[in-house]
Amino acid sequence: MSTKPNLRLVLVGARGRMGQAVATAAAAAGATVVASLDDGDNLAAGMAAGDVVIDFSSHAATAEVIRLAVAARKPLVIGTTGHPAAEKKRLLAKAAKVPCVWAGNFSVGVNLLFALTRRATKILGAEYDTEVVEMHHRLKKDAPSGTAARLLEIILEERKLTAAALRHGRSGITGARTATEVGVHALRGGDVVGDHTVMFAGPGERIELTHKASDRGIFARGALRAARWVVGQQPGLYDMQDVLGLK
Ligand code: NAD
């Protein structure tokens, strides 16, 4: 990947799985990590040196990361997931004061899955019962995944439904499935990097769109691509569809 050689990166969550994957991808692409920040470090001091801040830490850290990046006028790439919807809305408004790419998933394949899910939902409509199933490694702290959350947003938008339509797992005497509900199921186990399936079950047929990640390098390389792209953009919110030119 041809990351601008002199891009200076600030990593937040640097000791984590994704932080390490970004550092590895940056080294391979000739970008320089000028600050590796993690819980307990002085984020403000670390941020000063970089061209762009990449955050893969904890949802609890995002408000502070945004506050400091806005104060320092640093472009942002945010990959952290797990924010409650109302909090995310508030954070997005604040992040828009600098150029910010915010994506629940930085892989090219998953961004294609987003586009295919929108198209399939539009074509198949309410006659096809739609369920989202995701599986991740046993250490993942939030559920459903940020990618599943984005898939659900797309389905709800196309079906003109609200979050009240979501059914997170089912248990007990649930009654028959209604046409307007959208099921969500989060599986956890082993070292699964990230699997997502969107299922459309209709009369006499079933369509499944599946993406399986086997290496978190795909997210790291996507985040680097976003970092290179976001430097020099106007302040505002962007996603990987912008970075990849899919809009
Ligand atoms: P991890 O638990 O391995 O790493 C998180 C790191 O963040 C840890 O080192 C932790 O100490 C650090 N951290 C926690 N609070 C902090 C704070 N206040 N300030 C600075 N650092 C702090 O987790 P991970 O697997 O690397 O995932 C990190 C986040 O990225 C999660 O939210 C995960 O869902 C998300 N993720 C996003 C994508 C994507 O493409 N957008 C891909 C994979 C993971």
Side-chain angles (χ1 to χ4, degrees):
M1 208 194 86
S2 58
T3 296
K4 202 169 86 180
N6 61 350
L7 192 66
R8 293 169 302 174
L9 305 172
V10 175
L11 296 187
V12 184
R15 282 201 299 270
R17 282 173 293 264
M18 276 308 301
Q20 292 180 43
V22 173
T24 302
T32 309
V33 178
V34 290
S36 297
L37 306 172
D38 208 282
D39 204 7
D41 292 333
N42 182 336
L43 301 188
M47 270 188 203
D51 298 316
V52 53
V53 178
I54 301 182
D55 173 48
F56 283 98
S57 59
S58 156
H59 65 93
T62 310
E64 184 66 352
V65 170
I66 292 172
R67 191 182 71 74
L68 294 170
V70 168
R73 298 187 181 191
K74 300 290 178 186
L76 266 172
V77 173
I78 298 181
T80 302
T81 66
H83 311 84
E87 188 196 347
K88 184 166 175 185
K89 207 172 161 192
R90 277 196 303 278
L91 293 173
L92 287 169
K94 291 189 171 143
K97 292 177 186 153
V98 291
C100 174
V101 179
W102 189 318
N105 194 306
F106 282 97
S107 105
V108 174
V110 159
N111 280 278
L112 177 62
L113 177 66
F114 291 153
L116 294 174
T117 296
R118 188 177 292 284
R119 185 148 171 72
T121 308
K122 203 184 288 258
I123 292 170
L124 299 171
E127 203 183 351
Y128 286 70
D129 296 330
T130 309
E131 305 263 319
V132 173
V133 184
E134 58 105 325
M135 180 162 187
H136 284 81
H137 54 88
R138 62 195 301 280
L139 297 174
K140 185 164 176 62
K141 296 186 184 75
D142 55 304
S145 68
T147 304
R150 181 64 195 132
L151 288 165
L152 293 164
E153 272 174 17
I154 290 168
I155 294 161
L156 295 180
E157 274 166 32
E158 289 301 328
R159 294 275 306 276
K160 301 191 175 18
L161 297 170
T162 68
L166 300 179
R167 293 286 170 276
H168 291 273
R170 293 187 183 87
S171 174
I173 313 297
T174 57
R177 191 191 195 287
T178 65
T180 51
E181 67 192 61
V182 179
V184 192
H185 312 276
L187 316 184
R188 292 290 174 268
D191 58 359
V192 176
V193 173
D195 295 354
H196 293 87
T197 294
V198 186
M199 194 177 291
F200 301 89
E205 62 181 355
R206 186 164 85 239
I207 296 141
E208 295 182 8
L209 302 176
T210 295
H211 177 273
K212 295 188 178 188
S214 51
D215 174 5
R216 47 177 65 77
I218 58 171
F219 311 125
R221 287 191 292 275
L224 272 185
R225 192 161 165 173
R228 181 184 49 177
W229 181 89
V230 79
V231 171
Q233 297 294 327
Q234 292 299 312
L237 276 178
Y238 305 95
D239 61 20
M240 270 313 266
Q241 311 278 315
D242 295 304
V243 175
L244 298 173
L246 293 175
K247 281 186 175 164

